[in-house]
Amino acid sequence: MFERLSVMLMKEFLELRRDRWAMFRLIVPMILQMLVFGYAATFTVHHVTTAVLDLDQSQASRSLISHFAATSRFDIIDMATNQREITSDIDHDRAVIAIVIHAGFSRDLENGKSAPLQVIVDGTNSNTALIALGYIAQIVANFSTEQAASRVFPSRSGPAAAPVVGISLQMRPWFNEGLNERWFFIPGVIGTLTLMQVVSLTAFAIVREREVGTLEQILVSPIRPVEFILGKTVPFFLIGLGDIALVSFVGIAWFHVPFIGDPWVMLVGSALFLLAVVGMGLLMSTFSRTQQQAFALNFFLLNPFFILSGFAFPIAAMPKVLQWFTMINPLRYFLVIIRAVFLKGVGFAVLWPELGALALLALIMLTISVLRFRKSLD
């Protein structure tokens, strides 16, 4: 068995070595996609086009406007003079945010009253709108703190008012002190690219053998079906390990994502993830007779697996039915493992539930895939 399996593996690697275009497809697209996703995958919003209507025309209102102009989050593109100009800017997509400062703004501040500030948001892109509103809340909070401090200590020579007792918030993020979003997204990109690459390679390779007729030629040889399955899947398992190592190196060297965990934990988690992914690709091949069918099935399954993995959308915010469906998604568990190993440095004692889930998924998928594949051959 081992002799026949070694011959099968040698055949696969010789085919890969002779096909220079295949080597190119395995390496260059992964690096390019890593670079593109690394720069494009972000929730940070910069240069939000903003229109301002200042009906107060006071020192306080101009000071508030300067707080918005001083940050790269907002670009003030119009200092409107009336409400119709604000409406026109929003309707014609010239501005995403409109800030209206009503008359009496500075008077209310001087009297210690709450000074209302109107913010109009284009809600067509709800994600950008919510993030921009968060930035506005921070700027207004800082402005309010400055105004409160100026009222408590009006001048160096004048009498000081009674100090205002407040809460001083001191944030101390763990594992990502600078709150760098790339540190969160890059490990997720590694798992996502590996999933797409290995599933596609496994499914297409076996379907291609069936489509060109070489599958029957191999099966009439002394090699047994289980040896054929191992010979076709082991190379893609090793390719997957190489892909993970390659894109991890790019993430660490190019994007400076720290890797503080144990490489052995990463290796075990990657191996279990790849076994589940190879099983998924093999299962897809049993439902496909042509490469076109494999491509359609690949597109049908991988997109939901990506969305329901927790890569960008929190699983806890999904409906209960979808949360249950994510439990059969190997990418969900691998993202937890790879992010924890990269950023937290945790080990087997913490990650054993995810590792156990991946091992169970790998066992189930490989068993079902092998049984279905043997049935389809029969």
Side-chain angles (χ1 to χ4, degrees):
M1 173 180 177
F2 290 104
E3 183 178 355
R4 291 191 296 269
L5 183 59
S6 63
V7 172
M8 188 70 185
L9 292 175
M10 186 178 298
K11 165 190 170 295
E12 293 297 323
F13 283 115
L14 282 175
E15 288 183 357
L16 186 63
R17 181 181 176 184
R18 291 171 181 171
D19 190 353
R20 295 183 178 180
W21 176 241
M23 294 292 293
F24 178 86
R25 292 197 309 267
L26 290 176
I27 297 175
V28 176
M30 290 286 288
I31 296 177
L32 291 179
Q33 290 179 81
M34 181 66 175
L35 294 174
V36 170
F37 278 109
Y39 284 110
T42 176
F43 287 139
T44 303
V45 176
H46 292 280
H47 306 291
V48 180
T49 51
T50 306
V52 176
L53 175 59
D54 184 3
L55 299 175
D56 192 54
Q57 296 295 327
S58 62
Q59 181 179 354
S61 64
R62 286 190 292 269
S63 175
L64 177 59
I65 295 171
S66 68
H67 279 65
F68 285 95
T71 176
S72 64
R73 309 292 188 188
F74 300 93
D75 288 341
I76 299 178
I77 52 95
D78 185 22
M79 292 296 296
T81 57
N82 55 63
Q83 188 70 40
R84 282 177 297 181
E85 294 180 12
I86 290 290
T87 305
S88 176
D89 288 335
I90 297 291
D91 289 343
H92 292 85
D93 293 329
R94 291 190 294 267
V96 177
I97 299 287
I99 300 173
V100 180
I101 305 175
H102 293 282
F105 177 79
S106 60
R107 183 180 63 249
D108 291 338
L109 289 178
E110 292 172 358
N111 295 333
K113 297 180 181 179
S114 176
L117 177 70
Q118 183 181 9
V119 178
I120 303 171
V121 184
D122 183 356
T124 356
N125 188 338
S126 58
N127 183 59
T128 301
L130 287 172
I131 295 174
L133 284 174
Y135 295 153
I136 291 174
Q138 294 177 6
I139 293 175
V140 172
N142 292 335
F143 177 77
S144 299
T145 302
E146 294 175 5
Q147 292 296 313
S150 65
R151 290 197 304 273
V152 174
F153 305 103
S155 67
R156 292 180 178 270
S157 57
V164 178
V165 178
I167 298 175
S168 176
L169 176 63
Q170 296 181 353
M171 294 190 301
R172 188 179 178 183
W174 285 13
F175 313 119
N176 187 356
E177 295 181 0
L179 298 179
N180 190 334
E181 289 184 340
R182 288 200 178 98
W183 289 16
F184 172 79
F185 278 112
I186 293 299
V189 171
I190 295 172
T192 303
L193 292 180
T194 304
L195 172 73
M196 294 188 294
Q197 177 91 307
V198 175
V199 168
S200 300
L201 286 174
T202 307
F204 278 87
I206 297 178
V207 172
R208 185 169 57 249
E209 294 275 7
R210 179 186 287 115
E211 196 173 22
V212 299
T214 55
L215 180 60
E216 289 78 6
Q217 297 176 10
I218 294 174
L219 293 178
V220 296
S221 65
I223 192 170
R224 291 180 292 180
V226 65
E227 296 166 358
F228 171 77
I229 293 171
L230 289 174
K232 295 295 292 186
T233 54
V234 169
F236 301 126
F237 174 84
L238 299 177
I239 289 172
L241 285 178
D243 286 339
I244 291 176
L246 175 65
V247 291
S248 296
F249 174 77
V250 174
I252 294 170
W254 185 267
F255 293 104
H256 306 291
V257 180
F259 184 89
I260 62 176
D262 187 350
W264 289 107
V265 179
M266 180 73 175
L267 179 61
V268 172
S270 301
L272 293 175
F273 171 66
L274 288 172
L275 287 175
V277 168
V278 166
M280 186 189 307
L282 185 61
L283 184 61
M284 289 172 56
S285 71
T286 64
F287 289 98
S288 307
R289 292 295 173 182
T290 64
Q291 295 186 60
Q292 288 79 7
Q293 293 177 357
F295 177 81
L297 189 59
N298 184 55
F299 179 81
F300 177 76
L301 290 178
L302 289 188
N303 282 341
F305 271 67
F306 167 72
I307 294 173
L308 301 177
S309 65
F311 173 82
F313 312 107
I315 295 176
M318 299 177 186
K320 285 294 182 182
V321 175
L322 294 182
Q323 291 184 35
W324 296 335
F325 182 76
T326 62
M327 298 179 71
I328 64 171
N329 185 357
L331 184 59
R332 165 190 175 167
Y333 304 104
F334 185 62
L335 291 186
V336 175
I337 294 171
I338 192 171
R339 283 168 175 161
V341 172
F342 261 82
L343 302 180
K344 295 183 178 181
V346 297
F348 294 108
V350 175
L351 295 175
W352 67 266
E354 287 75 20
L355 293 170
L358 278 180
L360 181 61
L361 278 177
L363 179 62
I364 293 174
M365 286 191 177
L366 285 173
T367 302
I368 296 175
S369 301
V370 170
L371 292 177
R372 272 202 54 85
F373 192 79
R374 291 173 64 93
K375 182 178 179 181
S376 64
L377 291 179
D378 297 336

